[in-house]
Amino acid sequence: LKVAIGLEHDQPAHNVASMRATFTPTAMARVLSLMLLAAFASTTKAVSASRVEAVRKMIAAKSLAKNGLPDPTCANGVISLKDGDGPQACCAGYCGECSDYPTCNTVRGRPPDKFGRIAGQNSTNACCKSEVLKMKCGGGAPANVCLKSCEEAVPPCVLASGEVFTTPDPSARTAGADCNEAVTAWRSKADAAVEAGSKPPAA
């Protein structure tokens, strides 16, 4: 911090006049910019993490679609809450949540203008739970735009009826969670083996 504000490293505490002289407007600007950068980094960390997860889901869904594989458990989308006996909706991965929140139709666009037109991509049939369910194939939606079951397609789609689907717990243990710990454990065992092999045999 002393370097950032332009103070000498081991300046005596009683030398107040020289301290004031070195605390220039340029030094104050440096300190302020560092504080703003730290605040910005802390607020954007959570936002960037959720964006990374949304991008990951979109890429995985495109990969499944390219290979003709379905997503029956909505692993690459966003699952709606169970409501009554009907099926659950599986919204697109970029939606953030799968419900009828006020801006679900403009996730990738701007709010409607005074004529009701949405600028950019209209996400109504991808992010609005009730609209996704209405677009189910066989439910009255046109065949060329209807949404198939998740057993046949990727998000957005409609999950199978009669089951309750939930989002996997992000804190659940997976193979990737302890990958680095496995490397450390292996290295410890290898070092112990090398050390044991380098000792001279007992007489």
Side-chain angles (χ1 to χ4, degrees):
L1 185 59
K2 286 181 178 180
V3 174
I5 62 175
L7 295 178
E8 296 297 327
H9 285 283
D10 297 316
Q11 200 166 21
H14 65 273
N15 197 350
V16 178
S18 64
M19 286 176 69
R20 285 181 180 160
T22 56
F23 201 78
T24 63
T26 305
M28 290 176 66
R30 279 191 226 156
V31 172
L32 183 59
S33 63
L34 288 172
M35 290 171 59
L36 288 173
L37 184 62
F40 179 74
S42 64
T43 55
T44 57
K45 188 175 182 181
V47 175
S48 61
S50 64
R51 284 189 178 168
V52 167
E53 180 63 13
V55 170
R56 184 202 65 78
K57 287 185 174 185
M58 285 172 27
I59 292 171
K62 285 182 180 180
S63 176
L64 287 175
K66 183 177 179 181
N67 293 310
L69 300 172
D71 187 5
T73 60
C74 193
N76 299 303
V78 183
I79 304 172
S80 69
L81 294 174
K82 182 70 174 172
D83 184 19
D85 297 329
Q88 290 170 267
C90 175
C91 295
Y94 63 81
C95 297
E97 66 176 275
C98 190
S99 65
D100 293 322
Y101 56 100
T103 57
C104 66
N105 63 339
T106 58
V107 173
R108 285 186 154 183
R110 294 190 297 276
D113 61 15
K114 62 182 180 180
F115 302 108
R117 296 175 300 201
I118 296 172
Q121 182 177 343
N122 185 341
S123 59
T124 303
N125 295 333
C127 299
C128 300
K129 172 191 165 185
S130 59
E131 296 301 320
V132 169
L133 294 174
K134 282 182 191 174
M135 293 297 293
K136 181 179 181 180
C137 291
N144 61 332
V145 293
C146 70
L147 298 177
K148 294 181 179 180
S149 164
C150 293
E151 294 176 345
E152 306 173 55
V154 295
C157 53
V158 179
L159 290 160
S161 299
E163 292 186 59
V164 178
F165 294 89
T166 57
T167 304
D169 182 4
S171 62
R173 185 176 177 193
T174 62
D178 61 351
C179 183
N180 290 334
E181 294 175 19
V183 171
T184 305
W186 182 88
R187 285 183 179 157
S188 298
K189 289 178 182 177
D191 290 342
V194 169
E195 185 179 338
S198 63
K199 290 181 180 177

